[in-house]
Amino acid sequence: MNAGFHVGGDAYDDFMGRYSTLLARLFADFAGVEAGSRVLDVGAGTGALTAELVSRGASVAVADPSPEFVGVLRERFPDLEVHEAPAEALPFETGEFDAALAQLVVAFVTDGPAAVAEMARIARRVAACMWGVEEVDMFAAIDRTAETIGASRATEPRRYRTPQELHDLFAPHGEVEAAELDVSAGYRDFDEFWQAMGRGVGPAGQWVASLDDETRERAREELFDQLGSPSGPFELNARAFAVAVTPRP
Ligand SMILES: C[S@@+](CC[C@H](N)C(=O)[O-])C[C@H]1O[C@@H](n2cnc3c(N)ncnc32)[C@H](O)[C@@H]1O
């Protein structure tokens, strides 16, 4: 499932990158990435986690099935090994990596259990994180807006977004460690927020792009109200749930 991710790297960064860059630090800490470890960033997108792993001195390879994102990754990280590949079929030898990390990916893959099994095949430690469903201010405000103005939207994927579902996805591979990772992202003003929304990224961005002009304007006004009518800079919170296992040999 790739809806809304065939977009430019800047558009993605503008919409989601301001959150995922902060999340990457917490997630890499949680997964225990150290200098010198050989790490695969699975579903690397525009490289928010990749940059964090590189800055820690890890030896990093990346994979993503989106040709657009692979292009961005090759440009941003010319020295890294970049593969166009889905999590379900990783082009690596068994046990080749110390760790395989998937940040904000498992809800989007076609086959979650197959993806985690494949990560567990190639790595000695496997970790994933996903935003919660209710715990992301931005998505909650967009959902309330869509409901209030009666313009239904394709929701964010709902799979593997709760601690229980993530636990169950990983449990076949070992004892599951879990954590809550909290970040908050800042916006200069509402216009900056709305512009990022209008760039067609992910299900929310696609929803905005699908609206006719009049409905889009109603959505903009309602969203402004839903965010508390900010007159200047404001922050939105987001919580991700993370799980990790050290797969049984
Ligand atoms: C929300 S983005 C997260 C990107 C990046 N990991 C980050 O934290 O910013 C979801 C990513 O999952 C990728 N993706 C979709 N289906 C996938 C699959 N089957 N295997 C691996 N990645 C997939 C998309 O191409 C996209 O890059």
Side-chain angles (χ1 to χ4, degrees), residues 2-67:
N2 237 341
F5 293 114
H6 289 283
V7 293
D10 289 348
Y12 180 81
D13 288 349
D14 214 18
F15 181 69
M16 212 60 239
R18 65 183 80 219
Y19 294 89
S20 46
T21 302
L22 299 171
L23 179 63
R25 270 177 231 154
L26 304 180
F27 183 46
D29 279 345
F30 167 72
V33 173
E34 290 174 356
S37 352
R38 170 111 171 106
V39 183
L40 179 66
D41 184 355
V42 179
T46 59
L49 177 62
T50 316
E52 177 62 29
L53 299 173
V54 168
S55 79
R56 284 173 185 235
S59 158
V60 184
V62 299
D64 198 288
S66 153

Side-chain angles (χ1 to χ4, degrees), residues 1-2 5 12 20 43-45 64-66 69 86-88 103-105 109:
M1 192 297 218
N2 237 341
F5 293 114
Y12 180 81
S20 46
D64 198 288
S66 153
F69 283 156
E88 295 90 333
Q103 172 170 292
L104 308 176
V105 172
V109 304

Side-chain angles (χ1 to χ4, degrees), residues 182-201:
D182 289 316
V183 300
S184 56
Y187 296 87
R188 258 194 327 276
D189 50 27
F190 180 76
D191 282 349
E192 188 190 35
F193 176 84
W194 181 248
Q195 264 168 29
M197 286 269 321
R199 302 188 68 172
V201 182

Side-chain angles (χ1 to χ4, degrees), residues 1-2 65 86-88 105-115 159-160:
M1 192 297 218
N2 237 341
E88 295 90 333
V105 172
V106 289
F108 297 98
V109 304
T110 309
D111 184 338
R159 291 177 311 159
Y160 310 129

